[in-house]
Amino acid sequence: MMARNSLLISLWLSLSACSHSYLLKAKKNSLVIDQVNVLAVAYHRPEYAPADEDDFSYKNRELSCQLPSDFLKDLKSKQSAIFECLNSIGDIGLTYYYVPENQPFLEIDANDRANPECALKQLSKIPLPREIYFMGRDTTMETKGEPLGCYSISFSVKTNQVMSTESKVAKKKIKLPVYTGRDLLTTSDLYLWYMTSVFNILKADEKALGKWWAVPVPETTCRACFHGDALFNDKYSGKIKPVFWP
């Protein structure tokens, strides 16, 4: 009996000690983000598993980012039904589980009766990027006239693990707010709703402490990510004025 109790205690301690965080561990050069330019956001969601920091076998993999128009094409295809659902919900929010696969996603909690039927049908699964690349401002910038920085922020695909093994007990539940203050009407509204939702999820993580922690990205990397954006140069130089959020 004592041996069995010791085993249960050890298991409980393991579960308690494991991190439920879905934010990738912040690096030493991480900065707190003050504002995001909503006109310059791209998503990276590769199929391959991320390499460990000490694994240099795959460092030459191409950075295949997608702009919102490509990344959200599946949601865009049923945009009208999604808007009808979200506009009817109000400020109750939706409950999801974070699924930390190589291509992470949110899976709606079908057992939560507060989740409306339309969300179960139209938003049962929401894709998440593994990395978000964006232009914006961090809290070290002293003047508003400084050029924008380029940053990346990442989800962890190794969360929900106990002793390197996937654990359904440690599954991370997320409350996704959907209220935007007005009805969603256009495709731009869809892109903005998605972006703000994902950023707010990252901000709400227990490691984030209510802030956005992102890593500065070199210009060459930023250009590689935004290669599909014909207006990149104008956005990066400030010729196209940024639209900041929040």
Side-chain angles (χ1 to χ4, degrees):
M1 178 63 73
M2 289 184 64
R4 180 174 179 273
N5 288 340
S6 296
L7 180 61
L8 290 174
I9 291 173
S10 298
L11 178 60
W12 181 84
L13 288 173
S14 296
L15 290 172
S16 300
C18 76
S19 173
H20 291 197
S21 174
Y22 41 81
L23 183 66
L24 193 64
K25 183 179 179 182
K27 298 181 180 180
K28 291 182 180 179
N29 61 335
S30 295
L31 298 172
V32 175
I33 300 303
D34 188 35
Q35 293 177 309
V36 177
N37 180 8
V38 302
L39 302 179
V41 179
Y43 303 106
H44 184 47
R45 194 174 189 250
E47 295 181 357
Y48 55 79
D52 294 328
E53 289 190 11
D54 58 349
D55 180 5
F56 297 93
S57 304
Y58 304 103
K59 294 301 181 182
N60 293 324
R61 280 173 169 164
E62 182 181 357
L63 183 59
S64 54
C65 298
Q66 291 180 294
L67 300 178
S69 56
D70 291 325
F71 186 77
L72 298 174
K73 61 183 179 181
D74 289 340
L75 293 182
K76 183 182 175 183
S77 67
K78 51 181 182 178
Q79 174 177 301
S80 296
I82 290 175
F83 283 175
E84 183 179 355
C85 180
L86 293 177
N87 291 337
S88 69
I89 290 175
D91 58 356
I92 63 169
L94 301 172
T95 305
Y96 284 85
Y97 289 108
Y98 174 64
V99 183
E101 296 185 353
N102 287 336
Q103 293 184 309
F105 61 91
L106 296 179
E107 182 179 54
I108 201 163
D109 182 0
N111 295 319
D112 189 337
R113 295 182 179 180
N115 285 333
E117 187 65 31
C118 66
L120 295 175
K121 183 177 181 181
Q122 303 297 340
L123 290 167
S124 61
K125 183 177 178 180
I126 300 178
L128 290 174
R130 208 158 77 198
E131 294 177 291
I132 306 174
Y133 288 80
F134 62 96
M135 296 181 209
R137 295 178 51 84
D138 63 69
T139 54
T140 68
M141 293 181 173
E142 297 180 357
T143 65
K144 297 297 182 181
E146 288 187 61
L148 299 186
C150 191
Y151 310 89
S152 71
I153 187 170
S154 306
F155 280 95
S156 171
V157 298
K158 294 185 178 181
T159 190
N160 298 353
Q161 291 187 352
V162 178
M163 299 175 67
S164 301
T165 302
E166 183 70 16
S167 169
K168 293 184 178 180
V169 178
K171 209 169 185 180
K172 182 71 175 181
K173 187 176 286 191
I174 292 174
K175 194 71 173 181
L176 183 69
V178 298
Y179 181 65
T180 62
R182 63 174 179 81
D183 283 353
L184 303 174
L185 301 172
T186 67
T187 301
S188 294
D189 288 343
L190 175 69
Y191 298 161
L192 186 60
W193 169 77
Y194 179 85
M195 186 210 78
T196 56
S197 296
V198 172
F199 269 96
N200 280 328
I201 288 172
L202 290 164
K203 188 176 183 179
D205 184 77
E206 57 210 41
K207 282 185 178 180
L209 303 177
K211 302 175 182 179
W212 290 300
W213 295 91
V215 177
V217 174
E219 181 179 344
T220 53
T221 303
C222 195
R223 286 186 178 278
C225 180
F226 284 90
H227 72 277
D229 186 349
L231 300 176
F232 173 83
N233 286 332
D234 290 340
K235 293 176 183 179
Y236 195 79
S237 66
K239 186 175 181 180
I240 295 179
K241 292 185 177 180
V243 178
F244 286 124
W245 174 80

